[in-house]
Amino acid sequence: MSYEKLNEQIIELVGGKENIQAVAHCVTRLRLTLKDRAAAKTEEIKELDGVIDVVSNEVAYQIIIGTHVMDVYAEFMAMLGLTPADNSPKADKPKGIKGIVGSILVVISETMTSIVEVLLAAGILAGIMAIFTLTGIVSAESPTYMIFDTLRGAVFHFLPVFIAASAAKRLHVNQYLAMVLAVTLLSSNIDGVEGLSIFGFQLQTIGYANTFIPIMLGVWFLGLAIKYLNKLIPKSLHYFLVPMLSLVITLPIILMIFGPIGTWIGNGLDAFFNLLMTTMGNWIVVTLYAATQPFLIVLGAANFTYPLVLNFLASLGYDPIFMAAATISDVAVCGTMVGYFLRASKGKEKQTFGTVSFSALMGITEPAIFGVFMKYRRPFLAVIIGGGAGGMIAGLAGVKTMGMVWGLAAMPTYLAGGVANFVWMLISVVVAFVIATVVAYGLGIPSSEKTTAELSEDEEPIISGDIQGLKQAAIGKIADGEVIALNEVSDQAFASGALGKGLGIIPSESQATVLSPVDGTITVVFPTKHAYGIRTESGIELLIHIGVDTVNLNGQFFESFVTQGQKVRKGEQLAVFEVDKIKEAGFDPTIMAVITNSNDYLDVISANANDADELLTVVF
């Protein structure tokens, strides 16, 4: 089948060939790197015959096509005059100030995201220690307190080491060389020492503990040094000379240039927010962030506050804005889902609202935002009102967050700032929760969006049991794990149902096995081994997609046992993948299974139980 017309329309609507830097594809979508995304006419692309949806985020400009995307991609590349070999990583290099800034922000965001768990653990530990000292369980002068407080403090003191490892991984630089630079900066001979000089150049006195900008810039420069040394030095000497010379070259650059730059940036941020707090009041920023955080999450921009928070913690010892606002916003999302839970009739939708409300309360709002907010739209208004009200109270009261913590688990940490600090934060989240719940309940669920799960018993004859004259086909076990509703997965394309009806499975084992749930023919085995298509003899087309954005792993941590065109039996092994390693690499390992031709059938019904023998039932 020719997709020439579709590709011509896509090329024209994304701004022409000259606006396309690079093209890739996963199992369902074209992934474009555009020079100027503003030139793309997204709404018009969504209306094209052959396009399911468009998702634009920091990863790529993604045009969702379906499982035949490989055929579309082949013609698309030919029309651009390229082959897959021509479409090399060098085409992805940012061009212009806008592209460079965008790439820098992505690197910062992904670097911070990788170490958030460590920072979160330190923040929660600080809260627990505050409770113990306030209640008299542990004295602040006791050896026990000293040991655990050292554990908390070490996380921030040695922050450059964590940043070095994370940034090196993101920039494909040797992590151990990067960490050598970090521990050198933190040594007693350099960290905060006065009167240092190198090559006769007088160095500025800088404390590198708790900082992240100098080492992040240093890791970037280390990568450049290694790259050019590999070109200049004979290959036979790489092993002996490149590591040593790259360190010797990079360390002076950090001390003479990047250290002062980090200090200037930190001082500039301090000056800006101090000006904001003394003139307009930081309560305005807290209010706005608490009201709009869900929009930032949709845009993939929420992580960009992490460097600002770390700068506050290093300079002030607390965060006066972002973490409190984030917690208030999360609780408002929870309240919104509770409002929908109370408003919904019995069924799967009610179960979904209850599940995502709990995850939001714990500080994980993506399932609610991508699974419910993006579908119904109205919940955004509830968070704007509820979160904004709670944020205003916290901002006016001057609530301080004593670490990088958020969600329900963060509440005890506010005691570290005093009892009044905790009380005002508690009032703020309660107000945000109550108002968001009431507003969401009042707005209601749009009747046009009701799903089968919301219909009354009289309206859902297919689910109520076997109906004479209707045929059913069962989709069996795929993998061990927790079965979740499709709208709870974090991939918007799947969660929206755009690719078909189905479900998600959160693997329960560190090494998960994926089984064929039907007898059929393998129609797709993606080269990166993370996605499989199966077609049954009756014509059901099933897509099994392992993980979110795991195409970027290029097959790492996956092992495949089938090939395209192969006949498989129900229960036959398709693939094995390393769940823990995928998580460590920063990816979500949730399995998504959908019937891609759901519209050809009367209904596709998901099982309610995790141990059900039939995960999906196709009715026709």
Side-chain angles (χ1 to χ4, degrees), residues 197-331:
S197 64
I198 186 169
F199 305 129
F201 181 87
Q202 193 67 32
L203 297 176
Q204 183 178 337
T205 302
I206 297 173
Y208 289 96
N210 303 306
T211 65
F212 64 93
I213 295 175
I215 190 61
M216 188 175 290
L217 292 173
V219 172
W220 166 75
F221 188 85
L222 177 67
L224 290 181
I226 292 172
K227 176 182 176 181
Y228 286 105
L229 286 171
N230 282 331
K231 291 181 179 180
L232 295 173
I233 297 175
K235 287 187 178 180
S236 59
L237 299 176
H238 280 186
Y239 185 79
F240 301 99
L241 296 181
V242 170
M244 181 272 293
L245 289 176
S246 63
L247 291 173
V248 169
I249 292 170
T250 304
L251 181 60
I253 296 297
I254 296 176
L255 296 175
M256 291 188 292
I257 300 174
F258 297 151
I261 286 176
T263 301
W264 298 335
I265 292 175
N267 291 340
L269 290 173
D270 287 342
F272 171 75
F273 282 105
N274 283 330
L275 178 65
L276 188 67
M277 287 184 274
T278 55
T279 54
M280 299 177 64
N282 68 315
W283 66 272
I284 294 178
V285 184
V286 179
T287 301
L288 290 175
Y289 191 87
T292 61
Q293 181 180 241
F295 294 101
L296 296 176
I297 291 173
V298 170
L299 296 173
N303 292 351
F304 297 142
T305 61
Y306 293 163
L308 301 177
V309 175
L310 288 175
N311 188 70
F312 277 136
L313 294 176
S315 60
L316 302 177
Y318 61 88
D319 168 25
I321 296 177
F322 295 107
M323 289 294 97
T327 296
I328 292 166
S329 182
D330 292 344
V331 172

Side-chain angles (χ1 to χ4, degrees), residues 55-56 68 149 171 230 274 289 336 342 347 351 356 399 469 481 505 511 528:
V55 175
S56 179
H68 58 288
D149 189 56
L171 295 171
N230 282 331
N274 283 330
Y289 191 87
T336 301
L342 297 174
Q351 179 182 355
V356 299
V399 170
I505 303 170
Q511 185 180 66
T528 51

Side-chain angles (χ1 to χ4, degrees), residues 127-245:
I128 294 173
M129 296 303 294
I131 294 174
F132 283 176
T133 55
L134 285 172
T135 55
I137 297 176
V138 177
S139 170
E141 285 76 34
S142 68
T144 300
Y145 180 90
M146 180 194 67
I147 290 172
F148 285 105
D149 189 56
T150 302
L151 173 62
R152 174 205 60 77
V155 171
F156 292 100
H157 180 84
F158 294 101
L159 179 64
V161 179
F162 305 128
I163 293 291
S166 182
K169 183 177 181 180
R170 174 62 181 79
L171 295 171
H172 306 293
V173 177
N174 186 305
Q175 290 177 278
Y176 299 103
L177 290 177
M179 288 189 286
V180 167
L181 288 174
V183 295
T184 302
L185 295 176
L186 293 172
S187 68
S188 59
N189 291 330
I190 293 178
D191 185 30
V193 175
E194 299 179 358
L196 283 180
S197 64
I198 186 169
F199 305 129
F201 181 87
Q202 193 67 32
L203 297 176
Q204 183 178 337
T205 302
I206 297 173
Y208 289 96
N210 303 306
T211 65
F212 64 93
I213 295 175
I215 190 61
M216 188 175 290
L217 292 173
V219 172
W220 166 75
F221 188 85
L222 177 67
L224 290 181
I226 292 172
K227 176 182 176 181
Y228 286 105
L229 286 171
N230 282 331
K231 291 181 179 180
L232 295 173
I233 297 175
K235 287 187 178 180
S236 59
L237 299 176
H238 280 186
Y239 185 79
F240 301 99
L241 296 181
V242 170
M244 181 272 293
L245 289 176

Side-chain angles (χ1 to χ4, degrees), residues 184 243 374 384 433:
T184 302
M374 294 297 291
I384 289 173
F433 177 85

Side-chain angles (χ1 to χ4, degrees), residues 48 91 142 354 362 367 481 497 522 532 543:
L48 292 179
S142 68
M362 300 306 294
I522 301 294
Y532 301 83
L543 170 63

Side-chain angles (χ1 to χ4, degrees), residues 65-145:
I65 302 294
T67 52
H68 58 288
V69 70
M70 285 182 282
D71 298 326
V72 176
Y73 170 79
E75 285 197 20
F76 192 85
M77 293 294 287
M79 293 174 68
L80 292 176
L82 298 172
T83 65
D86 296 327
N87 194 44
S88 60
K90 64 179 181 293
D92 288 322
K93 290 183 179 180
K95 297 180 180 179
I97 296 298
K98 183 177 179 180
I100 293 172
V101 171
S103 297
I104 291 172
L105 291 177
V106 169
V107 171
I108 293 173
S109 173
E110 293 184 1
T111 298
M112 293 298 177
T113 300
S114 299
I115 64 170
V116 161
E117 289 185 27
V118 177
L119 299 172
L120 183 62
I124 293 175
L125 179 60
I128 294 173
M129 296 303 294
I131 294 174
F132 283 176
T133 55
L134 285 172
T135 55
I137 297 176
V138 177
S139 170
E141 285 76 34
S142 68
T144 300
Y145 180 90

